[in-house]
Amino acid sequence: GVALSQWWSEGGGSSRTGWGMTQAEEANALLASLADAPEFEVENWRHAGGTAAGGYFYAGHSVLVAVPRPGYVQREPDARRSLEEFLRIAKTSGRPHAVIVLVDRVTSQDAASRRVWSTAQDEGLRCSLALVGASALSRAIGSFFVGLTRPRVPTKMFSEFSEALIWSTDQA
């Protein structure tokens, strides 16, 4: 990925998405939605890709942050598209990645979606999964995921993004 300002100035993401915005506009909107949360130092994040579910941003070397749209409800087809996008990003870089998911932005995730992420044959491209959530709902979603699906990669819940970033950096 490139720095967001460079990506926008070079016309990156100029094609329209299903939401009527360019990819750059969507990336900007996702980052702007985090502006009130000081723990996210989004000015250093680089856009890597995304789907209708949200965007992937580099927060460090081989550490991707999945930023779902606020109020996102994940179903199996969306989970498959998000996983495919993650695999595309990791394959393009040629190295395994740690993933941090901002679960507070997710309203629900069905059982089929949990299976997609927990049983994914990701060719060694995912080295860990950090789930960040402070709300009771996000902790419940994360607990279901970790407890019921037994993910194939090291997976932990965090209430603080900074702790998830340190752990994920160590895993990457």
Side-chain angles (χ1 to χ4, degrees), residues 64-79:
L64 282 176
V65 180
V67 181
R69 293 178 180 280
Y72 178 62
V73 175
Q74 189 171 61
R75 303 283 183 247
E76 182 181 14
D78 296 329

PDB file of all heavy atoms in Angstrom, residues 64-79:
ATOM      1  N   LEU A  64      -2.295  -5.720   9.425  1.00  0.00           N
ATOM      2  CA  LEU A  64      -3.466  -5.113   8.804  1.00  0.00           C
ATOM      3  C   LEU A  64      -4.555  -4.881   9.845  1.00  0.00           C
ATOM      4  O   LEU A  64      -4.783  -5.732  10.699  1.00  0.00           O
ATOM      5  CB  LEU A  64      -4.045  -6.030   7.729  1.00  0.00           C
ATOM      6  CG  LEU A  64      -3.341  -6.080   6.389  1.00  0.00           C
ATOM      7  CD1 LEU A  64      -4.006  -7.128   5.493  1.00  0.00           C
ATOM      8  CD2 LEU A  64      -3.356  -4.728   5.709  1.00  0.00           C
ATOM      9  N   VAL A  65      -5.214  -3.730   9.748  1.00  0.00           N
ATOM     10  CA  VAL A  65      -6.373  -3.446  10.585  1.00  0.00           C
ATOM     11  C   VAL A  65      -7.603  -3.531   9.691  1.00  0.00           C
ATOM     12  O   VAL A  65      -7.676  -2.853   8.661  1.00  0.00           O
ATOM     13  CB  VAL A  65      -6.295  -2.053  11.231  1.00  0.00           C
ATOM     14  CG1 VAL A  65      -7.528  -1.787  12.089  1.00  0.00           C
ATOM     15  CG2 VAL A  65      -5.030  -1.911  12.052  1.00  0.00           C
ATOM     16  N   ALA A  66      -8.543  -4.400  10.069  1.00  0.00           N
ATOM     17  CA  ALA A  66      -9.821  -4.495   9.371  1.00  0.00           C
ATOM     18  C   ALA A  66     -10.780  -3.521  10.040  1.00  0.00           C
ATOM     19  O   ALA A  66     -11.063  -3.641  11.225  1.00  0.00           O
ATOM     20  CB  ALA A  66     -10.358  -5.923   9.442  1.00  0.00           C
ATOM     21  N   VAL A  67     -11.243  -2.544   9.274  1.00  0.00           N
ATOM     22  CA  VAL A  67     -12.144  -1.509   9.789  1.00  0.00           C
ATOM     23  C   VAL A  67     -13.514  -1.712   9.144  1.00  0.00           C
ATOM     24  O   VAL A  67     -13.756  -1.258   8.026  1.00  0.00           O
ATOM     25  CB  VAL A  67     -11.609  -0.092   9.484  1.00  0.00           C
ATOM     26  CG1 VAL A  67     -12.540   0.968  10.058  1.00  0.00           C
ATOM     27  CG2 VAL A  67     -10.185   0.081  10.004  1.00  0.00           C
ATOM     28  N   PRO A  68     -14.409  -2.425   9.839  1.00  0.00           N
ATOM     29  CA  PRO A  68     -15.754  -2.618   9.284  1.00  0.00           C
ATOM     30  C   PRO A  68     -16.527  -1.302   9.265  1.00  0.00           C
ATOM     31  O   PRO A  68     -16.249  -0.390  10.036  1.00  0.00           O
ATOM     32  CB  PRO A  68     -16.413  -3.595  10.267  1.00  0.00           C
ATOM     33  CG  PRO A  68     -15.290  -4.203  11.042  1.00  0.00           C
ATOM     34  CD  PRO A  68     -14.215  -3.154  11.086  1.00  0.00           C
ATOM     35  N   ARG A  69     -17.496  -1.234   8.382  1.00  0.00           N
ATOM     36  CA  ARG A  69     -18.413  -0.088   8.401  1.00  0.00           C
ATOM     37  C   ARG A  69     -19.135  -0.090   9.747  1.00  0.00           C
ATOM     38  O   ARG A  69     -19.431  -1.155  10.277  1.00  0.00           O
ATOM     39  CB  ARG A  69     -19.453  -0.222   7.297  1.00  0.00           C
ATOM     40  CG  ARG A  69     -18.896  -0.127   5.924  1.00  0.00           C
ATOM     41  CD  ARG A  69     -20.022  -0.320   4.902  1.00  0.00           C
ATOM     42  NE  ARG A  69     -19.481  -0.220   3.574  1.00  0.00           N
ATOM     43  CZ  ARG A  69     -19.218   0.931   2.953  1.00  0.00           C
ATOM     44  NH1 ARG A  69     -19.462   2.061   3.562  1.00  0.00           N
ATOM     45  NH2 ARG A  69     -18.714   0.940   1.749  1.00  0.00           N
ATOM     46  N   PRO A  70     -19.433   1.071  10.309  1.00  0.00           N
ATOM     47  CA  PRO A  70     -20.166   1.109  11.577  1.00  0.00           C
ATOM     48  C   PRO A  70     -21.500   0.364  11.463  1.00  0.00           C
ATOM     49  O   PRO A  70     -22.213   0.511  10.479  1.00  0.00           O
ATOM     50  CB  PRO A  70     -20.393   2.605  11.811  1.00  0.00           C
ATOM     51  CG  PRO A  70     -19.314   3.284  11.020  1.00  0.00           C
ATOM     52  CD  PRO A  70     -19.092   2.412   9.816  1.00  0.00           C
ATOM     53  N   GLY A  71     -21.806  -0.468  12.463  1.00  0.00           N
ATOM     54  CA  GLY A  71     -23.059  -1.203  12.478  1.00  0.00           C
ATOM     55  C   GLY A  71     -23.095  -2.402  11.549  1.00  0.00           C
ATOM     56  O   GLY A  71     -24.159  -2.946  11.259  1.00  0.00           O
ATOM     57  N   TYR A  72     -21.949  -2.847  11.104  1.00  0.00           N
ATOM     58  CA  TYR A  72     -21.849  -3.928  10.122  1.00  0.00           C
ATOM     59  C   TYR A  72     -22.417  -5.249  10.651  1.00  0.00           C
ATOM     60  O   TYR A  72     -22.181  -5.621  11.792  1.00  0.00           O
ATOM     61  CB  TYR A  72     -20.380  -4.109   9.718  1.00  0.00           C
ATOM     62  CG  TYR A  72     -20.150  -5.229   8.751  1.00  0.00           C
ATOM     63  CD1 TYR A  72     -20.724  -5.211   7.486  1.00  0.00           C
ATOM     64  CD2 TYR A  72     -19.361  -6.314   9.103  1.00  0.00           C
ATOM     65  CE1 TYR A  72     -20.509  -6.241   6.598  1.00  0.00           C
ATOM     66  CE2 TYR A  72     -19.137  -7.349   8.216  1.00  0.00           C
ATOM     67  CZ  TYR A  72     -19.719  -7.300   6.959  1.00  0.00           C
ATOM     68  OH  TYR A  72     -19.506  -8.329   6.085  1.00  0.00           O
ATOM     69  N   VAL A  73     -23.165  -5.944   9.807  1.00  0.00           N
ATOM     70  CA  VAL A  73     -23.700  -7.277  10.087  1.00  0.00           C
ATOM     71  C   VAL A  73     -23.029  -8.225   9.103  1.00  0.00           C
ATOM     72  O   VAL A  73     -23.211  -8.084   7.885  1.00  0.00           O
ATOM     73  CB  VAL A  73     -25.238  -7.316   9.906  1.00  0.00           C
ATOM     74  CG1 VAL A  73     -25.765  -8.735  10.076  1.00  0.00           C
ATOM     75  CG2 VAL A  73     -25.913  -6.356  10.871  1.00  0.00           C
ATOM     76  N   GLN A  74     -22.224  -9.177   9.618  1.00  0.00           N
ATOM     77  CA  GLN A  74     -21.496 -10.067   8.716  1.00  0.00           C
ATOM     78  C   GLN A  74     -22.265 -11.352   8.452  1.00  0.00           C
ATOM     79  O   GLN A  74     -22.683 -12.044   9.375  1.00  0.00           O
ATOM     80  CB  GLN A  74     -20.110 -10.404   9.252  1.00  0.00           C
ATOM     81  CG  GLN A  74     -19.288 -11.156   8.210  1.00  0.00           C
ATOM     82  CD  GLN A  74     -17.847 -11.321   8.601  1.00  0.00           C
ATOM     83  OE1 GLN A  74     -17.541 -11.923   9.605  1.00  0.00           O
ATOM     84  NE2 GLN A  74     -16.975 -10.766   7.783  1.00  0.00           N
ATOM     85  N   ARG A  75     -22.414 -11.645   7.177  1.00  0.00           N
ATOM     86  CA  ARG A  75     -23.005 -12.888   6.687  1.00  0.00           C
ATOM     87  C   ARG A  75     -21.926 -13.647   5.909  1.00  0.00           C
ATOM     88  O   ARG A  75     -20.925 -13.065   5.498  1.00  0.00           O
ATOM     89  CB  ARG A  75     -24.199 -12.607   5.778  1.00  0.00           C
ATOM     90  CG  ARG A  75     -25.293 -11.765   6.420  1.00  0.00           C
ATOM     91  CD  ARG A  75     -26.132 -12.601   7.374  1.00  0.00           C
ATOM     92  NE  ARG A  75     -27.216 -11.824   7.936  1.00  0.00           N
ATOM     93  CZ  ARG A  75     -27.310 -11.492   9.211  1.00  0.00           C
ATOM     94  NH1 ARG A  75     -26.391 -11.867  10.061  1.00  0.00           N
ATOM     95  NH2 ARG A  75     -28.316 -10.780   9.648  1.00  0.00           N
ATOM     96  N   GLU A  76     -22.165 -14.913   5.656  1.00  0.00           N
ATOM     97  CA  GLU A  76     -21.157 -15.762   5.010  1.00  0.00           C
ATOM     98  C   GLU A  76     -20.612 -15.203   3.691  1.00  0.00           C
ATOM     99  O   GLU A  76     -19.393 -15.172   3.510  1.00  0.00           O
ATOM    100  CB  GLU A  76     -21.705 -17.174   4.807  1.00  0.00           C
ATOM    101  CG  GLU A  76     -20.673 -18.099   4.177  1.00  0.00           C
ATOM    102  CD  GLU A  76     -21.199 -19.497   3.950  1.00  0.00           C
ATOM    103  OE1 GLU A  76     -22.426 -19.716   4.033  1.00  0.00           O
ATOM    104  OE2 GLU A  76     -20.375 -20.378   3.684  1.00  0.00           O
ATOM    105  N   PRO A  77     -21.444 -14.751   2.746  1.00  0.00           N
ATOM    106  CA  PRO A  77     -20.877 -14.240   1.483  1.00  0.00           C
ATOM    107  C   PRO A  77     -19.919 -13.065   1.702  1.00  0.00           C
ATOM    108  O   PRO A  77     -18.884 -12.966   1.038  1.00  0.00           O
ATOM    109  CB  PRO A  77     -22.110 -13.809   0.675  1.00  0.00           C
ATOM    110  CG  PRO A  77     -23.241 -14.580   1.261  1.00  0.00           C
ATOM    111  CD  PRO A  77     -22.918 -14.742   2.718  1.00  0.00           C
ATOM    112  N   ASP A  78     -20.272 -12.176   2.641  1.00  0.00           N
ATOM    113  CA  ASP A  78     -19.396 -11.033   2.949  1.00  0.00           C
ATOM    114  C   ASP A  78     -18.101 -11.503   3.594  1.00  0.00           C
ATOM    115  O   ASP A  78     -17.023 -10.959   3.320  1.00  0.00           O
ATOM    116  CB  ASP A  78     -20.092 -10.044   3.886  1.00  0.00           C
ATOM    117  CG  ASP A  78     -21.315  -9.411   3.240  1.00  0.00           C
ATOM    118  OD1 ASP A  78     -21.323  -9.239   2.008  1.00  0.00           O
ATOM    119  OD2 ASP A  78     -22.254  -9.089   3.982  1.00  0.00           O
ATOM    120  N   ALA A  79     -18.191 -12.494   4.471  1.00  0.00           N
ATOM    121  CA  ALA A  79     -16.997 -13.034   5.111  1.00  0.00           C
ATOM    122  C   ALA A  79     -16.062 -13.624   4.058  1.00  0.00           C
ATOM    123  O   ALA A  79     -14.848 -13.415   4.106  1.00  0.00           O
ATOM    124  CB  ALA A  79     -17.367 -14.086   6.154  1.00  0.00           C
TER     125      ALA A  79
END
